[in-house]
Amino acid sequence: MIVLGIETSCDETGIALYHTKYGLLSHTLYSQTEIHNEYGGVVPELASRDHIRRVVPLIKQALKEANICLKEVDAIAYTQGPGLAGALLVGACIGSALSFALKIPVLNIHHLEGHLLSPLLSTPSPMFPFVALLVSGGHTQLIKVNGIGQYILLGETVDDAAGEAFDKTAKLLGLDYPGGRALAELAEQGQSGRFKLPRPMRHSGNFNFSFSGLKTAVSTLIKNHNITFQTCADIALAFQEAVIDILAEKSLSALMQSGLSQLVVAGGVGANIQLRKRLIRETTNIGATVFFPEFEFCTDNGAMIAFAGAMRLQQQKINYQHTMSSFTVRARWDLEIL
């Protein structure tokens, strides 16, 4: 069975084809980074318009790379939410239209479920149940995953997401948008120990996070120091170390308290090399295992949506008559309400 996945929740247009027997057949991705760079952040209207321009050519490209025709697709999966409403509507419209035209099922997928399941695209892959650290520009959550659609929220950020804090701190340091990767690269040239930043909610007694105060502490450092390249690098390193300390300690604590031995890391911040090294070391020390998606699947992508759609399709029988009465998008959507 072949599932076409469509991802348009924010500023990446992702298309993929997943075969339930042969795995990922193809995936294509277009990033809008250059469009939004001059504004220092995502402009929703521009994002929506660019999705409209890109989605059909990317579908054609994915079909060509997989060497199949559209009529061979058995189901459509699109991101219903959460995300930017206008951007989500692009994927919802074309996904539902294709379903209607081809008379095949259409599945509305939760964006975060796609991220949670993305490490299952890799080899080796985790087995259910596991604890997941979902860490991106819009979300920072610890989730117990018992199976497809079986998610228990253990903790989440009470303010900024970790990726959001990376981007905002990068902007304070004069780095271009999106700043997470640029900050991590700058941190490689920093001197550890020069600056000490707080670890918010480190001893909160729960699995919640907070990063807005960390960003404020960086702002104070910048105001109180003569800013040279080395100072910026040292601040970037201090910030990254603080974020990694918090993420690693909370994740390991959740893993041990749950009694599980598998940790899955998903989302854009999961591509951070130092975070990966730290979690590999820490999990090894306690006899656990950590799993990451491939770097290309850390960002938003169609492969994770196609895969999530395929997993859901295998779990339930979906008749075409139930697929096209109407469609909606959910800019906000609690993962536990699935």
Side-chain angles (χ1 to χ4, degrees):
M1 190 172 290
I2 299 174
V3 179
L4 171 65
I6 303 171
E7 159 60 32
T8 62
S9 65
C10 191
D11 60 341
E12 275 106 9
T13 312
I15 304 296
L17 289 156
Y18 183 86
H19 196 294
T20 52
K21 182 177 180 180
Y22 301 112
L24 188 63
L25 301 180
S26 67
H27 73 100
T28 57
L29 183 72
Y30 181 83
S31 174
Q32 301 175 5
T33 299
E34 290 186 10
I35 295 174
H36 303 292
N37 182 47
E38 63 179 297
Y39 302 100
V42 177
V43 181
E45 179 65 19
L46 294 180
S48 302
R49 290 176 181 272
D50 198 64
H51 285 309
I52 293 171
R53 285 192 292 267
R54 308 292 177 182
V55 66
V56 171
L58 286 174
I59 290 174
K60 291 180 178 179
Q61 182 183 339
L63 289 167
K64 183 178 180 180
E65 291 179 2
N67 195 30
I68 66 171
C69 65
L70 192 57
K71 290 184 179 180
E72 294 179 76
V73 173
D74 298 295
I76 310 291
Y78 70 86
T79 303
Q80 187 184 34
L84 303 174
L88 290 166
L89 278 169
V90 178
C93 285
I94 194 163
S96 299
L98 286 171
S99 165
F100 182 78
L102 298 171
K103 295 182 171 58
I104 58 177
V106 60
L107 300 97
N108 48 345
I109 301 299
H110 196 296
H111 178 74
L112 302 186
E113 180 174 55
H115 275 302
L116 284 178
L117 300 179
S118 61
L120 276 68
L121 285 163
S122 303
T123 302
S125 60
M127 300 288 289
F128 300 117
F130 55 78
V131 170
L133 171 64
L134 180 56
V135 56
S136 67
H139 302 86
T140 302
Q141 298 177 324
L142 278 165
I143 300 165
K144 184 180 180 183
V145 180
N146 291 319
I148 305 295
Q150 301 174 46
Y151 310 120
I152 301 172
L153 181 65
L154 303 178
E156 62 184 338
T157 182
V158 299
D159 41 57
D160 290 351
E164 182 182 7
F166 262 95
D167 286 343
K168 288 180 177 179
T169 300
K171 189 173 183 179
L172 290 172
L173 293 171
L175 303 176
D176 288 338
Y177 173 87
R181 181 183 297 179
L183 188 147
E185 291 174 354
L186 180 61
E188 293 296 325
Q189 302 180 64
Q191 177 183 341
S192 183
R194 180 180 174 190
F195 298 113
K196 182 68 174 178
L197 290 172
R199 272 63 171 165
M201 298 189 73
R202 190 178 203 172
H203 305 294
S204 63
N206 57 35
F207 301 124
N208 289 337
F209 303 89
S210 173
F211 296 103
S212 64
L214 186 56
K215 176 198 63 184
T216 303
V218 169
S219 179
T220 301
L221 273 181
I222 292 172
K223 289 176 182 177
N224 293 337
H225 288 81
N226 179 33
I227 298 303
T228 63
F229 174 83
Q230 190 59 51
T231 297
C232 284
D234 294 344
I235 292 174
L237 179 58
F239 171 82
Q240 180 174 259
E241 288 176 338
V243 172
I244 289 175
D245 278 350
I246 298 165
L247 294 175
E249 290 175 15
K250 295 269 185 176
S251 298
L252 270 292
S253 179
L255 194 62
M256 290 186 287
Q257 185 167 311
S258 69
L260 300 179
S261 60
Q262 297 178 109
L263 175 66
V264 162
V265 181
V269 180
N272 184 282
I273 298 297
Q274 298 307 317
L275 175 62
R276 289 187 174 219
K277 288 181 178 179
R278 172 72 176 273
L279 289 175
I280 290 171
R281 184 174 67 251
E282 296 283 352
T283 51
T284 300
N285 288 341
I286 64 169
T289 308
V290 62
F291 297 87
F292 303 94
E294 302 293 337
F295 284 108
E296 60 186 328
F297 299 139
C298 286
T299 186
D300 295 346
N301 63 87
M304 67 183 191
I305 302 303
F307 179 74
M311 294 301 99
R312 284 196 166 270
L313 196 59
Q314 288 181 312
Q315 280 198 335
Q316 56 187 323
K317 292 182 179 180
I318 301 175
N319 296 320
Y320 169 69
Q321 290 79 4
H322 297 160
T323 63
M324 193 51 197
S325 58
S326 65
F327 67 85
T328 60
V329 297
R330 302 186 186 186
R332 295 182 179 275
W333 188 4
D334 188 341
L335 182 62
E336 291 181 295
I337 306 174
L338 279 177

